[in-house]
Amino acid sequence: ILNVEQSPQSLHVQEGDSTNFTCSFPSSNFYALHWYRWETAKSPEALFVMTLNGDEKKKGRISATLNTKEGYSYLYIKGSQPEDSATYLCASSTSGTYKYIFGTGTRLKVLA
Amino acid sequence: DTGVSQDPRHKITKRGQNVTFRCDPISEHNRLYWYRQTLGQGPEFLTYFQNEAQLEKSRLLSDRFSAERPKGSFSTLEIQRTEQGDSAMYLCASSLRTAGEAFFGQGTRLTVV
């Protein structure tokens, strides 16, 4: 994998459903993996920064896992609420560069 | 407000005009990034500053684009001779550490007509 790829591109779920998204990234020279939530008309908001293989992070109903050897991360949302509706972006950074490479995002819509 | 602020929030300009955007990062952050986002795409890296030094630029950044960060505080991004393809959301972010949590501004939406 040369780029950061996210799936699915978009997702509609019912309130109360649990859901998960995938982020695939280049595993060579890996440095850090970031997850952001971006609501319309707001700034992207950092959710997690993960660096170690096997890392698991949690913030309320949202959690994320990281596999640096195979180059993927999962973001989980338990009991989705309408306020979770947003675009979820992941970004990878590699050693030797300062930039974050973003995926195209997963657009989540939670229906009440 | 102690977050990252960007000005203006929206800019409509005619093709061929020059535009300049400003970013004020979080005051203690010495790292500053500019990104561009077009419809259906994720943010695309443009350039990175550490203090006042511009340490990395995207190869996609044509010579019509220039960015500065005098004295390591606020930053400006200038686009000369704008083209319709420059229409996008321009995002600024700042952080304390390399590859650390980056805090984004709300962006400047540029429309070139």
Side-chain angles (χ1 to χ4, degrees):
Chain A
I1 294 175
L2 298 178
N3 295 316
V4 176
E5 297 171 359
Q6 292 188 247
S7 63
Q9 194 170 26
S10 65
L11 192 56
H12 289 187
V13 301
Q14 290 293 133
E15 182 176 358
D17 286 352
S18 293
T19 187
N20 65 84
F21 324 133
T22 303
C23 172
S24 301
F25 55 87
S27 54
S28 61
N29 299 317
F30 171 82
Y31 191 80
L33 192 284
H34 308 250
W35 280 101
Y36 287 86
R37 174 171 58 203
W38 195 358
E39 295 178 68
T40 303
K42 294 188 177 179
S43 313
E45 173 199 355
L47 292 173
F48 305 113
V49 180
M50 296 187 288
T51 56
L52 298 176
N53 186 44
D55 253 355
E56 291 188 26
K57 297 268 177 121
K58 187 174 181 186
K59 185 185 284 190
R61 294 179 291 99
I62 304 177
S63 60
T65 60
L66 179 67
N67 182 321
T68 61
K69 295 187 188 308
E70 295 182 41
Y72 65 84
S73 175
Y74 295 132
L75 186 80
Y76 301 92
I77 302 178
K78 186 177 177 183
S80 303
Q81 299 296 308
E83 57 265 30
D84 296 329
S85 298
T87 295
Y88 291 82
L89 291 163
C90 71
S92 164
S93 55
T94 54
S95 51
T97 178
Y98 299 101
K99 61 188 173 189
Y100 304 64
I101 306 296
F102 281 85
T104 53
T106 292
R107 282 174 289 285
L108 173 67
K109 177 77 175 172
V110 182
L111 306 169
Chain B
D1 189 340
T2 56
V4 177
S5 63
Q6 292 187 243
D7 183 69
R9 294 285 306 280
H10 304 273
K11 177 74 177 177
I12 300 174
T13 191
K14 289 185 178 177
R15 191 173 50 187
Q17 297 293 304
N18 299 344
V19 294
T20 300
F21 311 141
R22 177 180 171 122
C23 171
D24 286 273
I26 293 171
S27 57
E28 59 267 30
H29 287 185
N30 61 352
R31 292 163 169 82
L32 187 146
Y33 307 81
W34 283 99
Y35 283 84
R36 174 174 65 189
Q37 195 233 5
T38 53
L39 197 62
Q41 301 299 313
E44 171 189 51
F45 172 79
L46 293 178
T47 192
Y48 165 77
F49 288 88
Q50 189 164 314
N51 299 309
E52 66 275 10
Q54 189 174 23
L55 295 185
E56 190 167 355
K57 281 198 306 186
S58 169
R59 280 175 240 158
L60 300 171
L61 209 64
S62 78
D63 56 6
R64 296 185 299 106
F65 287 72
S66 62
E68 293 183 339
R69 193 181 181 199
K71 301 179 184 177
S73 55
F74 71 92
S75 176
T76 58
L77 178 69
E78 181 183 17
I79 309 174
Q80 295 183 324
R81 305 181 302 281
T82 51
E83 301 173 356
Q84 286 189 315
D86 297 331
S87 295
M89 173 76 84
Y90 289 83
L91 291 162
C92 174
S94 69
S95 70
L96 264 178
R97 297 180 294 109
T98 300
E101 182 178 345
F103 294 80
F104 281 83
Q106 289 185 282
T108 295
R109 182 166 293 285
L110 173 66
T111 302
V112 181
V113 297

